[in-house]
């Protein structure tokens, strides 16, 4: 856009100079600015190409090269839903039930409870039931009922003394349960903190985007007014250069603000665990 604007101004400067109302310095100024804009565009295109190679490598695309017809989605304007500020409590509740680290902590707690039950089982008697059935016949392959015999046995075992080993294992299992419960509490606090922090960053990104969009509109209006004044011979070349430079800077800040908003929403989805919904059928 900067290149197109200055190219247009260059053409008008050449036209004014041909009719004797323009100067060579104005023409050279816009030519320099066109070349500067071209150089920035070339560098941006190179950075984009390198980034696409890196993205293709991360995604495992053969040769780290995307097909020629594949392009990234354009940076569209924000939607009303993206400017909506979510309520933290429902998101925290969802995260406490769906975050993988929370689920892992709950599984670890269930495992320690099972270990306690296993350790406590050592204090109870064990009953083993054995049953056998045998068949034996000599000189004839045809078995009859009297050729079979069976045995049934019940064995009761009770450990009267183990030197304190069983009691020590039970205490160890209970201590591990306390440790896991404390670790689980820390994870839950961490999840709540991360969700609230992501919400705060999202709210900040939303406000920043609204501000930058308003500022970009103001700077554009100012640039247009300065351009008209310069075309009418009432404004200076320096002021037009400054107005165009401010306009390009404002547009860049607006684009970064929009990217920050999308990134803030993605981070919130990750911190709540809702991002996993993208991988479910």
């Amino acid at each position: 856009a900067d290149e197109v604007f200055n190219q247009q101004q260059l053409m008008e400067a050449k036209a004014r100079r041909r009719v004797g109302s323009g100067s060579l310095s104005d023409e050279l100024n816009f030519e320099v600015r066109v070349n500067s804009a071209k150089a920035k565009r070339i560098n941006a295109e190179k950075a984009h190409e390198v980034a696409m190679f890196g993205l293709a490598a991360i995604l495992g695309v053969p040769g780290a090269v995307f097909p020629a017809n594949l392009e990234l989605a354009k940076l569209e304007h924000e939607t009303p839903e993206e400017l909506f500020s979510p309520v933290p409590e429902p998101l925290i509740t969802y995260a406490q039930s769906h975050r993988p680290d929370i689920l892992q902590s709950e599984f670890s707690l269930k495992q320690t409870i099972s270990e306690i039950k296993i350790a406590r089982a050592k204090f109870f008697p064990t009953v083993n039931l054995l049953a056998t059935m045998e068949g034996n016949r000599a000189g004839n392959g045809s078995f009859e009922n009297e050729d079979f015999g069976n045995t049934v046995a019940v064995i009761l075992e009770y450990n009267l003394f183990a030197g304190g080993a069983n009691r020590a294992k039970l205490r160890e299992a209970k201590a591990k349960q306390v440790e896991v419960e404390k670790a689980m509490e820390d994870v839950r606090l961490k999840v709540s903190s991360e969700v609230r922090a992501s919400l705060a960053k999202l709210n900040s990104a939303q406000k920043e985007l609204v501000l930058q969009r308003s500022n970009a509109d103001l700077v554009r209006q100012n640039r247009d007014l300065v351009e008209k004044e310069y075309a009418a011979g009432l404004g200076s070349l320096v002021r037009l250069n400054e107005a165009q430079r401010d306009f390009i800077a404002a547009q860049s800040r607006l684009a970064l603000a929009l990217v920050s908003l999308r990134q803030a929403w993605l981070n919130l989805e990750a911190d709540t665990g809702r991002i996993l919904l993208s991988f479910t059928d």
Side-chain angles (χ1 to χ4, degrees), residues 17-277:
R17 184 164 174 262
R18 282 197 299 267
V19 299
S21 61
S23 63
L24 178 61
S25 61
D26 288 4
E27 182 178 335
L28 294 176
N29 168 80
F30 291 119
E31 190 169 356
V32 169
R33 294 185 64 83
V34 167
N35 292 335
S36 177
K38 286 182 179 179
K40 292 180 181 179
R41 177 175 55 81
I42 292 173
N43 290 331
E45 290 174 347
K46 179 185 66 176
H48 176 267
E49 185 178 9
V50 172
M52 291 292 284
F53 291 149
L55 179 60
I58 292 175
L59 295 178
V61 178
V65 179
F66 286 117
N69 59 345
L70 180 64
E71 295 181 356
L72 293 180
K74 294 183 179 180
L75 190 62
E76 302 292 344
H77 281 200
E78 68 280 3
T79 63
E81 291 77 14
E82 290 179 314
L83 296 179
F84 170 74
S85 297
V87 180
E89 282 70 22
L91 295 178
I92 293 175
T93 301
Y94 183 91
Q96 297 287 359
S97 303
H98 295 82
R99 279 262 302 239
D101 46 357
I102 292 290
L103 298 179
Q104 182 181 12
S105 298
E106 292 177 349
F107 177 80
S108 298
L109 181 59
K110 292 179 180 179
Q111 185 178 11
T112 55
I113 294 175
S114 299
E115 291 176 358
I116 291 177
K117 293 180 179 180
I118 294 174
R120 187 177 284 118
K122 299 292 184 180
F123 294 93
F124 298 93
T126 60
V127 178
N128 295 321
L129 177 63
L130 302 178
T132 61
M133 184 175 181
E134 297 179 352
N136 186 19
R137 184 177 178 86
N140 191 339
S142 178
F143 284 88
E144 298 180 358
N145 291 336
E146 59 269 16
D147 298 324
F148 291 92
N150 54 65
T151 303
V152 178
V154 178
I155 302 175
L156 176 66
E157 295 182 356
Y158 187 82
N159 191 353
L160 297 177
F161 181 71
N166 293 336
R167 192 174 301 276
K169 291 181 179 179
L170 178 59
R171 290 178 177 176
E172 180 183 0
K174 290 182 177 180
K176 185 177 180 180
Q177 180 185 5
V178 174
E179 180 183 357
V180 172
E181 289 175 345
K182 294 296 182 181
M184 184 175 179
E185 183 179 353
D186 290 341
V187 172
R188 291 190 179 278
L189 291 175
K190 176 185 176 183
V191 168
S192 299
S193 174
E194 289 179 350
V195 172
R196 293 187 184 277
S198 292
L199 278 172
K201 293 178 181 178
L202 174 62
N203 292 333
S204 177
Q206 290 170 335
K207 294 177 182 178
E208 177 71 15
L209 177 61
V210 173
L211 177 63
Q212 292 299 340
R213 187 166 295 284
S214 175
N215 185 65
D217 291 339
L218 295 175
V219 174
R220 178 185 56 78
Q221 295 177 20
N222 180 68
R223 193 280 309 271
D224 293 343
L225 290 174
V226 173
E227 180 185 2
K228 292 178 181 179
E229 292 176 354
Y230 174 78
L234 302 177
S236 66
L237 177 62
V238 174
R239 184 70 188 96
L240 178 59
N241 288 340
E242 291 178 352
Q244 174 63 11
R245 186 164 48 246
D246 293 342
F247 174 70
I248 296 301
Q251 290 293 323
S252 298
R253 290 191 296 267
L254 175 59
L256 291 176
L258 185 54
V259 171
S260 297
L261 176 64
R262 302 276 162 76
Q263 185 66 51
W265 273 109
L266 185 63
N267 291 337
L268 180 61
E269 292 289 299
D271 289 334
T272 57
R274 293 181 60 86
I275 195 172
L276 297 176
L277 296 176

